[in-house]
């Protein structure tokens, strides 16, 4: 083995440790960059021809020919990525649902002194006041206003829920744009990574960026993905291709004919509906198409039962002016329930009496007692109980979604900590590496000095006989 | 486990968020005084709270019904007391008049006083409470008795026999009014006959029958008052019952909805301590690095 080879070995070591210092610097610089995976120089002893020393020379009992440090790799656990993305998908799903349901709860504002339940109670009480003094115009005026307050409150709750649905629909459109933007960036990265890695290099930072995008995409919708031999990833949204190599199948929001006023997400190319079992998109869809319509239907049922039950009794009664056959409530549902304008402008028309006598209030008493009567169209429960269960079922659904979001969040935090434990940067560790590389660099330099001295001995001090 | 910078940062953020979230919850509860602000805070408790709230509002209305019913009946009672006094005065005059020693002029005087008393009694029978003639049954917009002629030759009941029924508890619907035709019966006819007899100078034996008619009238009024007294007692009992129920319900509602202040304050201070400890730990942990020990 010649001394020149020793010099070469030392130069390789200098290069390798310089690279290690660069990598440590890069790691330290990115200690807090989201999605960054720490990088490691792959150090490998090599034989004379650059092949792996372990394979041949070591067997032959020969020393190797230095270190090879051409490859810098990311340290990352791909299985943790997979788990984390799945969990983040369900976290975002339940978080979106919980957020919508919490907003829906505000439409009812119960239990509180200002909630719909207390407005409903005031309404029944106003009927009792008319029972007590049927000839009093004050009690009748109070009643029709209490009725209008109740109707307005029901309308407002319905409108709040309707506005919330439209807002969710808007978020859905934004989510589609988000998906497209991320898919396009992944396709671009696919191209770049493929180019870089064709030359045998590792596109570490580009891969980090692509992984971050996959994380974000998994939070929006259910995705699956697989890395191909050419370093590109194929991404599926539901069961449909989203990114293939450098191509993107974009998603589009189009009017949904079967869901008036709402949009559905389809793939622009073939019109197939975007299907997702998790992610924010799932939460938005569940809230928009199930939870909220369900609540609005219940509110309609309540409004319709109030209207028909009260009107049936009211029509059979007589007002102070002898009027009869009038409706108390007008409208077709929760959206437009209102007190009959004839009654609002002349409360004497409130048909409290069963006999036309001014002091009779048998009808008003029957209406007041509807409060505690089981109503067939409400499933044989009273108005109060029907509304009470609407609020508590909503509360329970909200609490459930919040609980699921929270437990997924804990799991996400845990998995993320595990991922960070593997892929994250530890400054102390990097500093240690830095010091080690610095020392190794110094030692390699010293090797060069040593060989230089040996060459000096060989060249300048040997073979001088006869000089 | 290998601890990394971003992991440490994420952990710190999460701990701080958790503690700050709890602290915020407690502070909000202390400010509002309420444990449940939305049904989702505790769905089961919210269901119970809604139930209590509804019953509290209902009981409050029952007390309103009872109290205004008692007011109505108190007016009725006062009217009946006046009717009793009036009838008793007429009875005294009738006893006087049945004495044959009275001069025709004195009989005329008694006849005039009886006439005044009849008008007074008719006024009593037409007593109003608010807009309602209380003795008219449910025809409360018309006076119970119409008076024909001056001096009156006929005082006719023009109400109906309807009852003003109201709810005073979950189970009980009770009328508050007494129907004039039942309270007064033939009283006015009997008294007009008496007055006419006195005016025409009739003597004792002709007046005797009126005396028993007056006694019958007094009996009717007195039994009406007894009935009314029993009803007022019933209303008052229902009022007490409702007040007791209300106290219980308020207590139950408060247990479910309201914050236990002492508990919340203790929790607040322990959360503040936890926050301080977490901040301290973070401050100390992040100041320690290998760099401090390298030349």
């Amino acid at each position: 083995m010649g001394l020149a080879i020793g010099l070469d070995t030392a130069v390789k070591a200098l290069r390798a440790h310089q690279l290690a210092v660069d990598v440590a610097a890069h790691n330290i610089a990115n200690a807090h960059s989201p999605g960054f995976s720490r990088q490691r120089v792959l150090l490998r002893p090599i034989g004379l021809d650059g092949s792996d020393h372990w394979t041949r020379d070591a067997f032959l009992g020969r020393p190797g020919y230095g270190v090879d440090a051409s490859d810098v790799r990311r340290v990352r656990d791909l299985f943790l990525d997979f788990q984390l993305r799945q969990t983040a998908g369900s976290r975002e799903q339940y978080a979106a649902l919980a957020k919508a349901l919490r907003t829906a709860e505000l439409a009812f504002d119960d239990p509180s002194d200002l909630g719909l339940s207390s407005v409903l109670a005031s309404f029944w009480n106003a009927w009792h006041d008319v029972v007590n003094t049927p000839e009093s115009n004050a009690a009748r005026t109070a009643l029709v206003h209490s009725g209008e307050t109740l109707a307005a409150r029901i309308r407002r709750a319905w409108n709040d829920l309707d506005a919330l649905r439209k807002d969710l629909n808007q978020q859905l459109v934004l989510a589609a744009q988000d998906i497209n933007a991320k898919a396009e960036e992944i396709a671009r990265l696919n191209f770049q990574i493929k180019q870089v890695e064709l030359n045998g290099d590792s596109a570490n930072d580009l891969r980090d960026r692509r992984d971050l995008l996959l994380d974000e995409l998994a939070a929006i919708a259910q995705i699956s993905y697989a890395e191909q031999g050419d370093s590109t990833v194929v991404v599926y949204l539901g069961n449909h291709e989203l990114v293939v190599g450098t191509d993107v199948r974009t998603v589009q929001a189009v009017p949904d004919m079967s869901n008036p006023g709402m949009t559905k997400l389809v793939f622009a190319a073939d019109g197939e509906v975007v299907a997702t079992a998790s992610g924010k998109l799932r939460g938005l869809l569940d809230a928009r198409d199930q939870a909220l319509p369900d609540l609005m239907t219940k509110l309609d049922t309540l409004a319709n039962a109030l209207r028909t039950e009260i009107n049936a009794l009211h029509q059979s009664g007589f007002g102070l002016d002898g009027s009869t056959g009038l409706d108390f409530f007008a409208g077709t549902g929760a959206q437009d329930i209102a007190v009959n304008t004839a009654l609002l402008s002349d409360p004497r028309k409130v048909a409290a009496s069963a006999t036309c006598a001014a002091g009779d209030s048998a009808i008003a008493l029957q209406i007041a007692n509807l409060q505690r009567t089981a109503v067939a169209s409400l499933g044989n429960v009273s108005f109060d109980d029907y509304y009470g269960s609407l609020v508590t079922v909503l509360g329970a659904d909200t609490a459930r979604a919040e609980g699921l979001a929270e437990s997924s969040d804990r799991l996400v935090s845990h998995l993320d900590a595990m991922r960070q434990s593997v892929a994250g940067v530890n400054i102390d560790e990097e500093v240690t590496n830095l010091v080690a590389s610095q020392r190794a660099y110094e030692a390699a330099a010293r090797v060069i000095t040593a060989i230089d001295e040996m060459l000096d001995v060989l060249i300048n001090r040997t073979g001088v006989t006869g000089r | 486990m290998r601890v990394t910078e971003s992991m440490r940062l994420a952990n710190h953020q999460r701990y701080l968020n958790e503690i700050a979230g709890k602290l915020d919850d407690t502070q909000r509860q202390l400010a509002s005084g309420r444990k449940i602000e939305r049904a989702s805070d505790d769905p089961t408790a919210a269901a119970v709270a809604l139930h209590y709230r509804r019953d509290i509002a209902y009981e409050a209305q029952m007390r309103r019904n009872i109290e205004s019913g008692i007011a109505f009946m108190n007016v009725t009672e006062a009217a009946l007391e006046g009717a009793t006094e009036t009838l008793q005065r007429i009875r005294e005059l009738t006893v006087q008049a049945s004495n044959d020693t009275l001069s025709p002029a004195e009989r005329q005087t008694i006849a005039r006083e009886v006439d005044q008393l009849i008008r007074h009694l008719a006024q009593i029978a037409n007593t109003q409470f608010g807009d309602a003639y209380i003795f008219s049954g449910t025809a409360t917009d018309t006076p119970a008795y119409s008076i024909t002629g001056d001096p009156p030759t006929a005082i006719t009941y023009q109400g109906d026999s309807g009852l003003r029924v109201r709810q005073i508890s979950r189970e009980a619907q009770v009328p508050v009014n007494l129907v004039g035709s039942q309270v007064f019966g033939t009283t006015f006819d009997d008294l007009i006959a008496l007055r006419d007899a006195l005016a025409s100078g009739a003597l004792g034996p002709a007046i005797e029958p009126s005396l028993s008619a007056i006694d019958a009238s007094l009996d009717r009024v007195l039994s009406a008052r007894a009935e009314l007294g029993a009803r007022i007692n019933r209303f008052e009992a229902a009022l007490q019952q409702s007040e007791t129920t209300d106290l219980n319900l308020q207590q139950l509602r408060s247990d479910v909805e309201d914050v236990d202040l002492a508990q919340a304050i203790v929790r607040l201070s322990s959360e503040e301590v936890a926050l301080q400890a977490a901040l301290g730990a973070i401050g100390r942990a992040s100041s320690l690095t290998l760099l401090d020990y390298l030349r």
Side-chain angles (χ1 to χ4, degrees), chain B residues 114 161 164 243 253 276:
Chain B
V114 168
S161 57
R164 295 165 64 94
E243 277 163 355
R253 186 205 58 78
Q276 277 173 358

Side-chain angles (χ1 to χ4, degrees), chain A residues 102 105 111 135 359 420 425, chain B residues 6 34 38 40 138 140 164:
Chain A
R102 278 180 87 93
E105 276 195 295
E135 48 290 280
Q420 290 305 332
V425 176
Chain B
S6 51
R34 290 161 52 78
R38 270 186 294 249
S40 55
T138 55
T140 47
R164 295 165 64 94

Side-chain angles (χ1 to χ4, degrees), chain A residues 102 105 110 391 394-396 398-399 402, chain B residues 36 38-43 46:
Chain A
R102 278 180 87 93
E105 276 195 295
D110 259 313
V391 168
L394 172 60
T398 311
E402 279 173 349
Chain B
I36 1 175
R38 270 186 294 249
S40 55
D41 292 339
D42 185 345

Side-chain angles (χ1 to χ4, degrees), chain A residues 334-358:
Chain A
Q335 190 180 6
D336 60 356
I337 187 170
V339 173
N340 185 350
T341 47
L343 268 57
L344 269 178
S345 53
D346 184 4
R348 289 183 309 147
K349 292 193 188 312
V350 169
S353 170
T355 61
C356 210

Side-chain angles (χ1 to χ4, degrees), chain A residues 341-411:
Chain A
T341 47
L343 268 57
L344 269 178
S345 53
D346 184 4
R348 289 183 309 147
K349 292 193 188 312
V350 169
S353 170
T355 61
C356 210
D360 184 71
S361 51
I363 297 294
L365 184 58
Q366 283 183 52
I367 294 177
N369 282 329
L370 275 178
Q371 181 183 13
R372 291 182 173 271
T373 310
V375 177
S377 59
L378 296 178
N380 285 319
V381 296
S382 68
F383 287 104
D384 287 348
D385 285 342
Y386 187 83
Y387 175 70
S389 96
L390 182 157
V391 168
T392 36
V393 167
L394 172 60
D397 285 349
T398 311
R400 185 177 148 271
E402 279 173 349
L404 286 168
E406 205 172 309
S407 62
S408 317
D409 185 53
R410 280 176 197 283
L411 193 52

